[in-house]
Amino acid sequence: MTRAERRRQAKANPPRMSAPLMAQMRPLTIAEMRPGQVWEPGWFVIALETLPVFADGRASQAFQTEIWLPPGYRENTPDNLKIAIGLLKELCPRSRQMIEEISALARSSRSREEAQRLGFEERVYSPEEAATILRRPSSTN
């Protein structure tokens, strides 16, 4: 097969995402802190959510946890988010189990079909785009 044929084939059959999930990394807010918890820079919230394909097609499954990140990994980028998720899986058995469970749900045929219908791809989505995909009401009232 020539290089041009391989390129055409790759364009015609793009690789499937391993698990279509919405993932978010954001700084922990003071409002989210536990009573008596001392604020220090570097605490982030990592949230994972499936597409809304469960129950009657409007329910999604989500997991959220906190992690402390060193200064070089605090910028909200896709690479830093992947590193944070990897750290959670390595450092916390409970987080690893939850990430594996939510990823398994996201790999369901219904989730993959919905991702394909939406044209869902691995990229950064704006909060407005994410709200539309997750079928949430707009927060701008």
Side-chain angles (χ1 to χ4, degrees):
M1 185 180 300
T2 69
R3 183 187 299 177
E5 290 171 327
R6 284 193 301 272
R7 266 191 251 143
R8 277 193 297 276
Q9 185 179 14
K11 282 184 179 180
N13 302 313
R16 291 188 343 175
M17 262 185 255
S18 62
L21 285 170
M22 279 291 187
Q24 179 187 46
M25 175 176 131
R26 61 179 173 73
L28 179 70
T29 64
I30 292 173
E32 294 172 309
M33 293 174 61
R34 293 179 296 281
Q37 183 179 0
V38 177
W39 185 86
E40 67 176 291
W43 281 99
F44 280 80
V45 173
I46 305 297
L48 302 174
E49 187 169 354
T50 65
L51 297 177
V53 296
F54 301 100
D56 59 357
R58 292 184 289 163
S60 60
Q61 301 294 318
F63 168 68
Q64 178 174 306
T65 192
E66 301 168 8
I67 187 171
W68 185 87
L69 297 172
Y73 299 94
R74 294 179 185 168
E75 185 180 351
N76 190 0
T77 66
D79 287 340
N80 285 348
L81 176 60
K82 289 177 185 178
I83 289 167
I85 291 169
L87 279 172
L88 282 169
K89 289 170 71 173
E90 288 298 316
L91 300 175
C92 178
R94 180 184 158 275
S95 291
R96 177 180 32 250
Q97 179 183 357
M98 292 303 295
I99 291 167
E100 288 172 359
E101 287 177 10
I102 202 162
S103 295
L105 289 171
R107 286 190 292 270
S108 74
S109 59
R110 288 189 302 186
S111 184
R112 288 186 189 276
E113 288 166 9
E114 181 68 359
Q116 187 172 10
R117 185 187 74 74
L118 293 169
F120 195 70
E121 58 189 2
E122 188 172 322
R123 68 174 179 88
V124 176
Y125 287 87
S126 71
E128 295 78 21
E129 289 175 307
T132 300
I133 290 170
L134 295 171
R135 299 184 191 127
R136 293 203 174 115
S138 175
S139 59
T140 55
N141 291 331

